[in-house]
Amino acid sequence: MSCKYRKKLVYAVSFLIILAFCITLNVNDFTLSTCKIKLPEQQYTFILRNHWAFILKKISSGFLKENVKCVILYPVVRYFVDKVFSMEYKGNKYLIAFFSGLISSLYVLGYSFSMQNNWNLVFGDIANRVLSFLVWIGFALLLYLVMKYFLIKLENVQLISEEEDKKFFFEKRWTKHQRIIGKAIILFLCWVPYMIILYPCSASFDTKDQMAQIKNIFANSWSSHYVKLLWPSETIMNNHHPFAHTMIIKGTMAVGKFLGSYNIGFFLLVIIQGIALALTLSYVIEWLHQKKCAKKMCNIIFLVFCISPIYGLFVTQVFKDTWFTIALIWVCVLCYDMVMETGNFFSHKLNMILFVITSIFMGLMRNNGLYMLVMSAPIIIISLKKYWKKTLLVFLIPIIFLGIVYPKIILPACKVSPGSYREMLSIPTQQTARYLIKHKKSIQKNEKDMLKKMYVDNKLLDKISDVDNNLLDKISDVYNPRLSDPVRLRFNINASKNTQHEYWKFWLKGLKKDPLTYIQATLNNTYQFFYPDTSNALYFNGITWRGKNISFYGLENPNSLEFERNILQNSFRMFQSIPLVNAIMNMGFYMWIFLFICCYCINSKKCKILLPFSMAIVNMIICFAGPIASTRYGYYLIILVPIMLVLCSKKEIQNIY
């Protein structure tokens, strides 16, 4: 590339990037504080004869509005563009272009869904299409340059030398176990302020429901209305929330009752969670060090674990996700040793036993643990052909226990009712609701009758006359584009097989007639997994729900710490309003980093790095079919992504192909 041509290209790329920052896609004027959010056919559209005049006006107004930002950013962007252009990269540049284009697409789509709950800002009228394309191309160019820069840096990262090894966190006189305990103490002490401020814990409706099951109070247990109870006259205990975790809550309540207060019991649980997570992360840091990963990167993620409020808040939450994440980290670490150091792993029976135990515990803490094992087992077994029998054994034992022994023998013996298959219906029920709202005039009478039977138990479509508007009103009242529970929980699982068969025929009819509405319904319910600029449900302010106190049978946050809790909550809101800073507190940001890791592994022929994390990847796919794109469902990814990034600095990795 000639110097003159390169200079022009630098100016052009810099201009497009700045242009993307200045363009603001048009947004309707409704608020997002309510669930009754307008749907595509009700959206405001441009009524302009000259779209191009509007586009030019939009761009020029964007530059005028952001003129100070443009003046400051342009020289910085131009310097960065010129610097990256001068850096030589031997990898596949087309692959970088693909991933940067993919992430840019997710960003533009995510923005549209976050503003209007549809993709009209991307695929609406001509003006929006052109403006969104300009944003897409500018952001894609920026991502391409950023990814290229960090890929080069990652390739050139220095490995730990023998001399550096002696100075890793602690002096040489510290043994491995002492280093693990020492770092765990540091981590735990960094999280103590959160434990104190949120004393005794953070909780939500799920915790209240588990406590109601334990106390056998049917009226206060929403899951008991949600599942089909097999022993309703004796117990309302069910496996909607993992029964094993409910037993942890029961033990916590028993300890609290013995000590005179549920607060003490749950605070002890938080302390135990903090110790368990601190020891786990400390071990992982030492484990990465033993794998000869880059020292600087190990130091950075240790500091991230210490400083980031995400981890301090995480240990205060008495949800299933905390223990599930801890178990999954251990499973991935053991799986890494199984894949990368296969002979050494299987030569020690303790490794095999630990893998089986942690896999079972992972499955007990979340009901989808079984599917994670089943779907990832064939991939790992095929890749480890020489040791396929032992690999099959360590996967088969937890699969048999979680798939047969636990649900068919242990749960019935404890009189625990199984969960509901409604859990798998988030996607189709959201699609049906959105389709009904959009195509209200085309719903036939027999279809309305069928829908009444499918939702009548929960009064979603009951008492509907032949007037189409009533059907729309009922659906609109409960449909939330970002949460499937309002519709899914009203699905009648007791409907006859014939009625359910007719429902699925109706669903397929809608899919054939309007597949784009189905796609939008799915993306609207999941976009927060891949769009980082959202204030997601990361922080639970103690024992409250959306700012409202709810009864927890005597478990409560003391009023004496209310001021500190409010400061913590306001600080979080402030951080979430700061560009870039809010991204690191959001699931979407870590999804982008994961895509970057995938790009690096494919480009560097290190795809074997991804194999041990196949269960985490499977769980990621399962979460896309979940009720809501909540950050707490992605805590495992927030922890595992930095670990995967550090492992990328380990150069002596051969591909599996």
Side-chain angles (χ1 to χ4, degrees), residues 435 439 442 508-515:
Y435 176 84
H439 299 280
S442 64
L508 285 172
K509 174 187 173 182
L511 177 62
K512 293 177 182 178
K513 181 178 180 180
D514 192 358

Side-chain angles (χ1 to χ4, degrees), residues 81-114:
V81 173
D82 187 53
K83 179 181 177 65
V84 177
F85 273 20
S86 64
M87 299 172 72
E88 185 179 355
Y89 181 66
K90 298 179 181 179
N92 189 339
K93 296 179 181 179
Y94 293 104
L95 189 64
I96 304 177
F98 169 78
F99 276 96
S100 60
L102 173 62
I103 297 174
S104 184
S105 301
L106 296 177
Y107 174 79
V108 176
L109 280 172
Y111 177 81
S112 183
F113 279 108
S114 70

Side-chain angles (χ1 to χ4, degrees), residues 142 272 329 474 495 558:
L142 177 62
I272 294 172
I329 294 170
K474 288 289 183 180

Side-chain angles (χ1 to χ4, degrees), residues 78 109 134 148 154 159 170 212 255 334 398 478 502 606 645:
R78 193 182 68 178
L109 280 172
L134 291 174
K148 178 183 174 182
L154 197 58
L159 298 180
F170 297 93
V255 172
L334 290 167
V478 298
E502 290 299 317
K606 295 181 180 180
L645 198 59

Side-chain angles (χ1 to χ4, degrees), residues 95-240:
L95 189 64
I96 304 177
F98 169 78
F99 276 96
S100 60
L102 173 62
I103 297 174
S104 184
S105 301
L106 296 177
Y107 174 79
V108 176
L109 280 172
Y111 177 81
S112 183
F113 279 108
S114 70
M115 293 292 105
Q116 295 198 161
N117 289 293
N118 57 48
W119 58 27
N120 286 2
L121 293 181
V122 180
F123 303 114
D125 53 25
I126 296 174
N128 268 334
R129 292 178 188 178
V130 173
L131 291 172
S132 62
F133 175 76
L134 291 174
V135 173
W136 176 82
I137 194 70
F139 196 62
L141 287 170
L142 177 62
L143 282 171
Y144 176 87
L145 296 170
V146 171
M147 291 179 71
K148 178 183 174 182
Y149 177 82
F150 281 105
L151 284 171
I152 294 171
K153 290 294 182 182
L154 197 58
E155 285 288 350
N156 297 332
V157 72
Q158 297 296 319
L159 298 180
I160 300 175
S161 64
E162 291 294 330
E163 293 75 17
E164 290 176 323
D165 185 49
K166 300 174 183 178
K167 301 178 180 179
F168 187 79
F169 288 112
F170 297 93
E171 296 298 329
K172 185 180 178 181
R173 62 178 179 272
W174 291 75
T175 65
K176 175 183 175 180
H177 295 91
Q178 288 174 331
R179 289 195 298 269
I180 292 174
I181 294 173
K183 284 176 280 189
I185 292 173
I186 294 174
L187 285 168
F188 185 82
L189 291 176
C190 290
W191 302 336
V192 165
Y194 300 97
M195 299 180 192
I196 295 175
I197 293 174
L198 295 173
Y199 173 88
C201 64
S202 296
S204 72
F205 275 151
D206 288 357
T207 310
K208 180 184 178 182
D209 184 76
Q210 289 175 293
M211 296 176 75
Q213 287 185 44
I214 294 165
K215 290 179 171 290
N216 205 33
I217 305 176
F218 179 77
N220 292 347
S221 173
W222 62 265
S223 67
S224 299
H225 298 77
Y226 176 69
V227 305
K228 185 176 181 180
L229 297 175
L230 301 181
W231 299 275
S233 60
E234 299 180 50
T235 178
I236 62 172
M237 195 70 70
N238 62 78
N239 198 43
H240 172 72

Side-chain angles (χ1 to χ4, degrees), residues 639-656:
I639 295 177
L640 288 177
V641 159
I643 296 171
M644 295 172 69
L645 198 59
V646 174
L647 286 171
C648 288
S649 68
K650 189 171 186 276
K651 293 194 175 184
E652 58 275 12
I653 294 177
Q654 297 179 349
N655 203 359
I656 57 177

